[in-house]
Amino acid sequence: MFDLLGTALVNVAQVKYLLPLFFGTLAGVVGGALPGVTITMTIIVVLPFTFGLDPLQGLAAMTGVYVGGSAGGLITACLIGIPGTPSAIATTFDGHPMAKKGEPGRAVWLGVWASFFGGLLGGAFLILATGPLAKFALQFGPWEFFSLFVFALSMVAGLVESSLAKGLVSGGLGLIVTILGSDPVMGQKRLTLGIPFLEGGIDFLPVLIGVFAFAQIMSEVERMGGAEKLADAVDRSLGLAVSHLKVIGEILGRPFLLLWVAFIGVVIGVLPAIGGSAASMMAYDQAKKLSKHPQKFGSGVPEGIIASEASNNANVGGSLVTIMAFGIPGDAVTAVMLGALTIHGIQSGPLFILQNPELAYGIFAAYLLAHPLMVLIIGLSTSFMLRIVTVPKAVLFPVVLVLCVIGAYALNNTMSNVYVLLAFGLIGYAMVKGGFPLAPFILGVILGDQIEINLIRAIMTDADPWLFLTRPISGALIALSVASVVFAIWQHYRHQSKVAGDSETDF
Amino acid sequence: MGRDGIAGLAVLAASLALFVLTLDLKDSPLVPVGPGFYPRIVLALTAVLSLGLAVADVLAHRGRRPAPAADATKLNYPLVAISFGVFALYVVALPWLGFRIATFAYVVASSSLLAPPRGAKGWSAPLILALATTVVTWLVFERWLSVLLPRGSWTDF
Amino acid sequence: MKKLAIALTGFALLATAGAFAAYPDRPVKLIVPWPAGGDTDNIFRPYAPLLQKHIGQTVVIANVGGASGTKGAKEAKDAPPDGYTLYAVHDYIHSTYYTGVSDVNYTDFEPICMISSTASVLTASPKTPWKDWAGLLADAKARPGQISVGATLGSTSHFFPALIEKAAGIKFKYVSYEGLAPRMNAILGGHTDLTDANMTQKGKVEAGQLKFIAIATEKRSPEMPGVPTLKELGVNVVYDVNRGVLAPKGTPADVLVKLESSCAAAAKEPAFADSMKKQATDVRYMGRKQYADWLKGNDDLNKTLAKDLGLLKR
């Protein structure tokens, strides 16, 4: 295993792969730092570029985006107090106060090095756990996959903050998208609504691109028209010089905290559809509970920054485990990576690591190498990063949408995917306005066909429906799905007295 | 009834309508359950959930004054609508005008819409942006990565 | 009004200028109707750059998978017949038509050339108890309709085991696994017992992850001489999957001529033979005329097969 990893590291260190990895990481850092541009949107923009690259080049670029994006958010979080991505929300709690107290360099670099170490711990887990988990996943027959997908869907619907009913309806709407057009087993036409291009069904990538890009961009557009306040808030002459050894010492001097928050990040990453923002919030909460001086949290303590940033980068490692071992995208970012894999003809799933060892280890190597690159990029760019994050939206948005159109069109070289993009852009924006969470919807669209195919396969293999409950792994997963819904209802009643505020939409 | 209730009823109506459509589907000879089997499960489930959403909304609103919309910031919905409109025009025009012409026009329109240019000089920014976007994407995708972009059926360009 | 007229004339001129330019003056799209990484994709991936070399324009593979390969077929059929959209096909076009899975027939296209032929191998999961065909046959007779076969329904991977059923007087149970890669996942995990595969899976057999039961050729394969042919086991089934290139009906004759000559030159490249050897596939070239006759013969054969197997829906 380690010789494979060594070979892969040497391989990815070639210019051919290092270049896409570098540009991916750079795009990730910039996209992560830009408020209003999430990692999902960055990876959507990077997607069309990967069509023309070889598979490992494309995946290296995307891994770079994921790693860079998870760290990039901290720059804006610390210096301006606005999270560049949702996963940096918890970083603002202590990062911004520390920067305001005159230590902006310490705040940023604590975050960067915490991301670095957290990410590498996540990487260790990724490399050690993917193989064994894939072996375990090979035992999964159609029953287990069906139950696993149902579990993923019920969990994400239950986790959304707003309301369980809305989360579940969102998930149901996502599944409805996949039943339109044709059935995935025999290709028989069904529910085409008389629209010719629906006859082949709807691909999930244009749906995902449309929903995320428009929900986000239009939510920004509606606040435009006034002068942009962001530029004023930025003092561009901040000195960020800091002793790196001292900062690293501050982090490694808290080994228990680092390990614990990285563990939280990895576990949340492995669980489908929860994501970096939950990881960093939970890790921050844990750091506060474990601290000897919890009352100081929020005033600029290093533990707060370390917890948030180490966990959201470890989370990336965990998400990659899920997609590589099970072939299930845990979030929108890995869903785009899965799409890129399929475009290049690589079948994801339990056999992935066995059948494509050079690719699997190439991803590991890219993941590991992305971390020093991320540190390097942030180190070189902090001085003008603030100029980049204040780029006018009028420049950014049209370019992003053009890249979305290219991405949708180039999937199959057909206009129909561009029409799908537009339609779901409208639907996505309407859902945000109606307070319907997007995550369950997207997961429904991604998993819908797989749920149906595995259900039909199970019935074709054995007509006994009780097998879903009596096969141990499948039964356990069904029990967990029921438990997650029950838990969400219980939590809903417990919190009902509290007035639900407007929660941050997590893209 | 509030926003959620209306949304719930809309989803309920849509799922019931689709459910009726699945009843016409013929079973396949090669598969024990037909193409309508799974859609009916999904639609029935969604119908029940959306009904639940509507009922919960009615119950929540009973005996409580509907809170007035208290949005402190005024949101610029006309701009959103026009932005969608311009994008829709772009999508419709793509197969006729071709990628290069349509993209140039779209970026000029959309960028100048979001930041209205002041005076004749102000137009240079969106024009340069549009030209750069079009040329760079065309070169990178079509020439370098051989990702094909739409060609115009009117313009053949 | 006058301006408009001028503009329209300009457009018309541009359009005709485009039409008169020598074919091809822009990249050509080759639709592969399955997800990338399947066996069809593996054959056309190395072929595309060679075709590109001889045609003088970029050839881009577009994987349009879904619905037993009929989504891509429909898209190819509906594409403008100008030679800029080609369609990578194999025998499934006949079987999906006659089993009613698809409305697209081979007559919706102009044949250009056939390039390859891959023999089918009956392959079993390592978790199955049988060591050879005799064991499988005895088990199948003892438990009719119980042994599961992963197949793309209505396509070649369904026809091949169905022919064996008929020849050996046994009955299988079919489970839908579209494409070779998912079928391999299922069979390695032991979730299905049998499937149609080919010699590309040799590595997994040598690693003990799969069992080759028998090959559907006239003579044993030199690649793996230990695998018996179905014929010598007393099952009279010879089955292979033939792949070629089609263009939408109505493509101009001069374009077809150009395509045929480029296609032939590409298929005769030694590099193509090398990569096909790795896929355990024979290069089998046929020109337009010959391929058209072959398609017609194969179509009749598939209709008969579908009827014999009780799958005929037309």
Side-chain angles (χ1 to χ4, degrees), chain A residues 138-142 184-187 189 199-200 203 342-345 347 351 354-355 412-414 457 460-461, chain C residues 29 36-37 62-64 67-68 71 74-75 101 153 173-178 181-182 184-185 188-189 191 204 209:
Chain A
L138 202 54
Q139 301 172 17
F140 278 36
V185 178
M186 293 297 291
K189 272 183 237 169
E199 278 174 17
D203 275 338
T342 359
I343 286 157
H344 283 298
Q347 190 74 33
L351 284 183
L354 276 176
Q355 287 181 336
N412 272 347
N413 290 301
T414 50
R457 274 178 194 162
M460 288 178 88
T461 314
Chain C
K29 173 164 90 176
N63 294 98
V64 186
S68 295
K71 191 173 168 186
K74 201 170 287 157
E75 192 176 312
V101 173
L153 297 179
K173 173 170 68 183
Y174 291 94
V175 183
S176 163
Y177 281 94
E178 199 175 310
M184 285 298 129
N185 266 338
L188 259 80
H191 307 300
K204 292 202 193 76
Q209 294 170 322

Side-chain angles (χ1 to χ4, degrees), chain B residues 6-64:
Chain B
I6 296 163
L9 287 183
V11 175
L12 177 66
S15 12
L16 289 179
L18 286 173
F19 193 94
V20 172
L21 287 177
T22 63
L23 299 177
D24 294 341
L25 293 172
K26 278 192 251 25
D27 280 5
S28 152
L30 302 176
V31 185
V33 291
F37 173 73
Y38 169 79
R40 285 194 278 268
I41 298 176
V42 168
L43 292 166
L45 211 64
T46 313
V48 170
L49 290 169
S50 51
L51 183 68
L53 180 65
V55 169
D57 188 58
V58 170
L59 292 180
H61 274 266
R62 187 183 291 166
R64 213 204 303 160

Side-chain angles (χ1 to χ4, degrees), chain A residues 368-438:
Chain A
L368 293 179
L369 291 174
H371 282 87
L373 279 177
M374 172 270 288
V375 173
L376 184 77
I377 288 168
I378 295 182
L380 292 176
S381 66
T382 32
S383 45
F384 46 93
M385 187 56 83
L386 286 177
R387 223 158 299 211
I388 299 174
V389 303
T390 49
V391 63
K393 301 266 162 39
V395 171
L396 192 64
F397 290 163
V399 176
V400 167
L401 287 180
V402 166
L403 286 170
C404 289
V405 167
I406 296 177
Y409 178 81
L411 283 174
N412 272 347
N413 290 301
T414 50
M415 275 309 289
S416 52
N417 278 336
V418 184
Y419 304 139
V420 171
L421 171 84
L422 171 65
F424 281 90
L426 284 164
I427 291 172
Y429 180 66
M431 284 180 67
V432 169
K433 287 281 113 188
F436 284 87
L438 297 179

Side-chain angles (χ1 to χ4, degrees), chain B residues 55-79:
Chain B
V55 169
D57 188 58
V58 170
L59 292 180
H61 274 266
R62 187 183 291 166
R64 213 204 303 160
R65 297 259 129 219
D71 268 348
T73 48
K74 242 187 123 214
L75 297 179
N76 196 345
Y77 287 119
L79 188 61

Side-chain angles (χ1 to χ4, degrees), chain B residues 38-155:
Chain B
Y38 169 79
R40 285 194 278 268
I41 298 176
V42 168
L43 292 166
L45 211 64
T46 313
V48 170
L49 290 169
S50 51
L51 183 68
L53 180 65
V55 169
D57 188 58
V58 170
L59 292 180
H61 274 266
R62 187 183 291 166
R64 213 204 303 160
R65 297 259 129 219
D71 268 348
T73 48
K74 242 187 123 214
L75 297 179
N76 196 345
Y77 287 119
L79 188 61
V80 172
I82 300 169
S83 295
F84 265 120
V86 172
F87 185 77
L89 276 179
Y90 172 46
V91 168
V92 171
L94 256 181
W96 304 104
L97 296 178
F99 176 80
R100 284 165 283 185
I101 298 173
T103 300
F104 179 80
Y106 168 69
V107 176
V108 172
S110 151
S111 179
S112 52
L113 191 71
L114 294 177
R118 291 189 197 101
K121 262 195 181 165
W123 282 97
S124 61
L127 285 172
I128 291 168
L129 176 72
L131 194 67
T133 310
T134 311
V135 170
V136 171
T137 48
W138 174 263
L139 288 179
V140 166
F141 287 104
E142 184 115 6
R143 295 287 138 196
W144 181 46
L145 296 170
S146 42
V147 169
L148 298 190
L149 299 171
R151 239 157 211 283
S153 55
W154 284 353
T155 56

Side-chain angles (χ1 to χ4, degrees), chain A residues 439-485:
Chain A
F441 175 76
I442 283 298
L443 206 66
V445 177
I446 293 170
L447 297 180
D449 274 355
Q450 284 301 317
I451 293 179
E452 174 166 14
I453 288 172
N454 280 294
L455 176 65
I456 305 274
R457 274 178 194 162
I459 295 171
M460 288 178 88
T461 314
D462 200 317
D464 179 8
W466 292 106
L467 282 173
F468 286 105
L469 298 177
T470 54
R471 286 176 67 105
I473 301 174
S474 171
L477 287 164
I478 293 281
L480 281 172
S481 340
V482 174
S484 69
V485 171

Side-chain angles (χ1 to χ4, degrees), chain C residues 174-240:
Chain C
Y174 291 94
V175 183
S176 163
Y177 281 94
E178 199 175 310
L180 184 64
R183 292 208 295 275
M184 285 298 129
N185 266 338
I187 206 163
L188 259 80
H191 307 300
T192 57
D193 299 323
L194 286 174
T195 197
D196 156 43
N198 51 48
M199 279 291 166
T200 51
Q201 304 303 317
K202 199 173 78 174
K204 292 202 193 76
V205 174
E206 281 158 357
Q209 294 170 322
L210 285 181
K211 292 191 279 195
F212 277 171
I213 301 285
I215 186 165
T217 45
E218 296 282 350
K219 283 193 208 119
R220 290 190 179 201
S221 159
E223 297 276 321
M224 277 194 102
V227 179
T229 66
L230 280 167
K231 262 198 156 163
E232 65 186 82
L233 295 167
V235 184
N236 191 13
V237 174
V238 172
Y239 199 80
D240 48 21

